[in-house]
C-alpha cells in the first residue's frame, strides 16, 4: 500500500459535494408534486468542488474562508456525515469531531446518562465509556450537577460537557468547528490547552475558525476556501494574509456598490 | 462528534451498492447499536413519564377513555348489540394505539434529530427502531386496564392470553417496517405527517376493530366483489385484530370463549412483514447518505 508509506491521516482528492435544492429544507409533498407537474428542472449547486487536501499525522490544518464557503461541509465529509458526490476521501484513524457541542444530549437525562448516551452515539463500547467517565466528569468540571438533569445546566456547562466527551476519546483525528469560543475564559484556556495537547500527541487536527490568531499560532497549515473552491493552501501566515486582503477588497466593493446604489453604507457588511 | 469504528475509512462517491449489501449493513447496524437503542428508549420513557401531570397513569387511562368514547358512539348508532362490547373493542384499541402512536411519532423521528445528524456520523436506523421499541412500553401499560376488564369478566381469563406476546411480536415486525418507511420518507416530504394521520384514521375504520371481520363479510359490496373481501381479510390489522380478539374475547358473537388464534395467517403475516421490513430497510439505507444534506 503506497498510501501507508506516505503516512497521511487524511487525503481528500478532487472532492465535490453537490446539493440538490429540490430536496432541500422543508419541501412538501404538495411542492414536489407541483415540481413534477410543471417539469421544473432540478436545482443543483456545488457546496465544494475540486478540493484536494492532504494532511499528515501531527499536522493541524486550519480551514478559513467567508460564510458559506463550504468549510463546515468539508468537516462533515471528513467526519463521514456526508457522502461525497465526486472524488474520494480517505481518512486513516479514528475520527472525533466537535461539529456542534452537545447535540446528542437529552435535556431530561442527567450528565452521567448523557455521557453514556453520547458514548453510544459515538459507537464506543460500554466498558470504554465507563473507563473514560471519571476523566470526562473532571474535565467538564460541573461538580454536583453531574447527577442533575441537563435542563438545569447553563449553556456553558453543556458546551463543556460536550467538549469533554468529544475529546476524551483520544481520537487520531480531531475535527473542530468554531467551538473554541464557548464557555468562560477559564474553560477556553483549558480547551485550547487540550487541543494543543492533541496536536502535540502527533495527531491530526482540522479546525474551522474565524479566529485568525489561532490559525497563525497553532496551525502549521491552512487552506482558504471560497464558494466551495480552494483559493490557496499553504503556510498559515500567507493564507491568512490573503484571506484578510480578499475580505477587505470584498468589503470595499460592497461599499462602492452601496454608494453607487445611493445608499449610505453605515451598516458595514461583515 | 463522530467516530469511525474501523480505523481506516475510505469514502468514494461511487454509490451503486446492491440492495442486499444495504440490507446486511442495516441489520448489522441495528444489532450492533442495541445499547444506543436502549438508551434512547429509556430517555423517551423518562420524557413521557416526567413531564405530565399524571405521569404513567396516562398510559393506563388513554386506551380506557378511547374505549369509552367508541362504546358510547357505537351503541348510539348501531342497532345490533354485541355482548360485552367494551372488551370486544378493547382487544383492538390496545394494539391499534401502539401502531398508530408509533407510526405517527416515527414520521418525525429522523427530522427531530436534525442537528445531531448534521454533527455526528451514526446509523440513523436506530431512531425509528427506538421509537417502535418505546411503543412496546405503552402497549405493556395498556395490559393493566385489560387485566382490569378481564377480572370483571373472569370467564375470559384463560391461558389463551399467553398468545398476546406472540401476536405482539408479529405486530412489532410490521410496525417497525412502517416506522422505518415513514421516518425516511418524511425527511424528503415534511408534510407527510398530515397524510399519515388521515391514512391511519381511514385504516382504523376499514379494519375490523369496532366490528368483526365476519360482519364485514356479510356486506353486499363484499359478497358482490370477492376481491374487496380478499383485501379486507389480507389487511394486516384484520389478521392481528382477529387474533387478539380470539385470545382475549372469544368468538365474534360473544358466545364462544377465548380460543387459539389462526396460526397460519399469523405466520404468513410474519413472513410478509419480514419481507416488507427488508424492503423498508433498503429504502431507508438508500436515502440515508443524503439525510445530512436535506435536513
Amino acid at each position: 500500500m503506497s498510501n501507508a508509506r506516505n503516512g497521511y491521516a487524511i487525503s481528500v482528492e478532487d472532492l465535490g459535494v453537490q446539493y440538490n435544492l429540490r430536496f432541500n429544507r422543508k419541501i412538501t409533498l404538495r411542492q414536489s408534486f407541483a415540481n413534477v407537474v410543471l417539469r421544473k428542472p432540478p436545482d443543483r449547486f456545488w457546496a465544494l468542488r475540486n478540493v484536494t487536501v492532504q494532511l499528515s499525522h501531527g499536522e493541524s490544518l486550519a480551514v478559513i474562508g467567508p460564510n458559506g464557503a463550504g468549510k463546515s461541509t468539508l468537516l462533515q465529509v471528513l467526519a463521514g456525515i456526508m457522502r461525497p458526490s465526486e472524488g474520494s476521501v480517505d481518512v486513516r484513524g479514528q475520527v472525533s469531531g466537535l461539529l456542534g457541542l452537545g447535540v446528542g444530549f437529552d435535556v431530561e437525562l442527567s450528565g452521567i446518562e448523557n455521557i453514556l448516551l453520547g458514548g453510544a452515539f459515538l459507537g464506543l463500547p460500554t466498558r470504554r465509556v465507563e473507563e473514560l467517565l471519571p476523566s470526562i466528569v473532571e474535565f467538564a468540571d460541573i461538580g454536583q450537577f453531574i447527577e442533575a438533569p441537563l435542563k438545569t445546566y447553563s449553556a456553558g456547562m453543556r458546551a463543556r460537557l460536550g467538549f469533554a466527551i468529544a475529546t476524551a476519546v483520544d481520537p487520531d483525528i480531531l475535527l473542530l468547528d468554531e467551538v473554541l469560543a464557548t464557555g468562560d475564559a477559564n474553560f477556553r484556556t483549558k480547551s485550547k490547552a487540550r487541543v494543543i495537547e492533541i496536536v502535540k500527541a502527533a495527531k491530526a487536527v482540522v479546525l474551522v475558525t474565524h479566529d485568525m490568531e489561532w490559525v497563525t499560532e497553532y496551525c502549521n497549515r491552512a487552506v482558504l476556501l471560497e464558494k466551495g473552491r480552494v483559493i490557496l493552501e499553504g503556510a498559515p501566515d500567507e493564507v491568512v494574509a490573503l484571506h484578510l486582503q480578499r475580505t477587505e477588497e470584498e468589503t470595499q466593493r460592497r461599499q462602492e456598490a452601496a454608494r453607487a446604489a445611493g445608499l449610505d453604507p453605515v451598516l458595514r457588511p461583515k | 462528534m463522530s467516530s469511525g469504528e474501523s480505523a481506516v475509512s475510505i469514502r468514494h462517491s461511487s454509490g451503486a451498492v446492491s440492495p442486499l449489501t444495504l440490507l446486511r449493513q442495516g441489520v448489522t447496524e441495528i444489532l450492533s447499536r442495541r445499547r444506543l437503542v436502549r438508551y434512547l428508549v429509556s430517555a423517551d420513557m423518562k420524557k413521557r413519564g416526567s413531564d405530565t401531570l399524571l405521569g404513567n397513569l396516562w398510559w393506563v387511562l388513554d386506551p380506557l377513555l378511547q374505549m369509552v368514547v367508541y362504546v358510547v358512539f357505537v351503541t348510539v348508532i348501531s342497532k345490533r348489540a354485541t355482548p360485552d362490547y367494551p372488551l370486544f373493542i378493547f382487544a383492538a384499541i390496545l394494539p391499534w394505539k401502539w401502531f398508530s402512536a408509533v407510526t405517527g411519532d416515527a414520521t418525525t423521528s429522523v427530522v427531530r434529530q436534525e442537528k445531531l445528524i448534521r454533527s455526528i456520523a451514526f446509523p440513523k436506523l436506530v431512531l425509528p427502531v427506538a421509537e417502535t421499541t418505546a411503543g412496546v412500553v405503552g402497549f405493556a401499560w395498556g395490559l393493566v386496564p385489560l387485566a382490569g376488564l378481564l377480572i370483571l369478566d373472569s370467564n375470559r381469563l384463560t391461558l389463551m392470553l399467553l398468545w398476546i406476546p406472540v401476536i405482539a411480536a408479529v405486530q412489532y415486525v410490521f410496525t417497525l417496517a412502517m416506522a422505518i418507511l415513514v421516518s425516511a420518507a418524511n425527511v424528503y416530504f415534511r408534510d407527510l405527517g398530515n397524510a399519515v394521520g388521515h391514512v391511519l384514521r381511514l385504516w382504523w375504520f376499514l379494519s375490523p376493530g369496532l366490528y368483526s371481520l365476519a360482519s364485514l363479510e356479510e356486506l353486499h359490496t363484499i359478497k358482490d366483489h370477492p376481491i374487496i373481501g380478499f383485501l379486507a381479510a389480507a389487511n394486516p390489522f384484520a389478521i392481528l385484530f382477529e387474533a387478539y380478539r380470539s385470545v382475549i374475547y372469544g368468538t365474534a358473537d360473544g358466545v364462544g370463549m377465548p380460543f387459539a388464534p389462526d396460526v397460519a395467517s399469523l405466520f404468513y403475516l410474519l413472513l410478509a412483514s419480514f419481507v416488507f421490513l427488508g424492503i423498508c430497510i433498503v429504502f431507508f439505507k438508500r436515502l440515508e447518505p443524503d439525510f445530512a444534506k436535506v435536513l
Side-chain angles (χ1 to χ4, degrees), chain B residues 73-219:
Chain B
F73 172 68
V74 173
T75 315
V76 168
I77 62 163
S78 156
K79 279 160 259 155
R80 215 169 29 163
T82 311
D84 303 311
Y85 192 59
L87 189 64
F88 178 91
I89 58 170
F90 197 79
I93 286 174
L94 197 52
W96 181 258
K97 268 202 72 67
W98 174 22
F99 177 72
S100 62
V102 166
T103 310
D105 292 346
T107 45
T108 56
S109 65
V110 170
V111 295
R112 245 183 294 145
Q113 299 291 358
E114 154 180 22
K115 271 192 179 162
L116 186 65
I117 289 167
R118 281 188 286 130
S119 317
I120 307 181
F122 70 97
K124 267 64 88 181
L125 267 172
V126 298
L127 299 172
V129 172
E131 197 79 62
T132 313
T133 311
V136 177
V137 180
F139 180 74
W141 276 106
L143 296 175
V144 175
L146 176 67
L149 287 173
L150 284 171
I151 286 168
L152 296 177
D153 189 356
S154 54
N155 283 339
R156 291 194 165 93
L157 211 50
T158 67
L159 280 177
M160 286 300 155
L161 293 172
L162 296 177
W163 278 100
I164 291 179
V166 179
I167 307 167
V170 177
Q171 189 186 341
Y172 179 85
V173 179
F174 182 74
T175 310
L176 180 59
M178 211 62 185
I180 289 173
L181 178 71
V182 293
S183 65
N186 191 57
V187 174
Y188 290 86
F189 306 109
R190 297 300 176 90
D191 55 349
L192 190 71
N194 298 332
V196 165
H198 288 291
V199 169
L200 283 174
R201 207 159 304 133
L202 187 65
W203 196 344
W204 161 246
F205 286 113
L206 288 180
S207 303
L210 300 177
Y211 48 85
S212 67
L213 187 61
S215 68
L216 194 66
E217 276 157 0
E218 280 165 25
L219 290 178

Side-chain angles (χ1 to χ4, degrees), chain B residues 5-67:
Chain B
E5 262 132 285
S6 57
V8 179
S9 75
I10 305 173
R11 292 183 283 276
H12 293 283
S13 54
S14 50
V17 190
S18 81
L20 272 180
T21 314
L22 287 176
L23 180 61
R24 209 179 46 234
Q25 282 174 357
V27 173
T28 317
E29 282 171 1
I30 296 171
L31 295 179
S32 65
R33 294 301 189 102
R34 282 187 306 259
R35 197 166 45 91
L36 178 54
V37 171
R38 209 172 61 224
Y39 286 145
L40 288 171
V41 170
S42 70
D44 196 57
M45 290 300 94
K46 255 186 200 179
K47 232 173 295 176
R48 286 179 208 233
S50 67
D51 57 7
T52 55
L53 192 63
L54 296 173
N56 289 330
L57 197 56
W58 280 120
W59 292 110
V60 176
L61 282 182
D62 221 46
L64 268 186
L65 292 174
Q66 203 170 343
M67 181 198 77

Side-chain angles (χ1 to χ4, degrees), chain B residues 82-83 88 156 212 245-246 249-259:
Chain B
T82 311
F88 178 91
R156 291 194 165 93
S212 67
R245 191 171 285 142
S246 70
Y249 179 82
T251 53
D253 56 14
V255 180
M257 283 298 113
F259 59 99

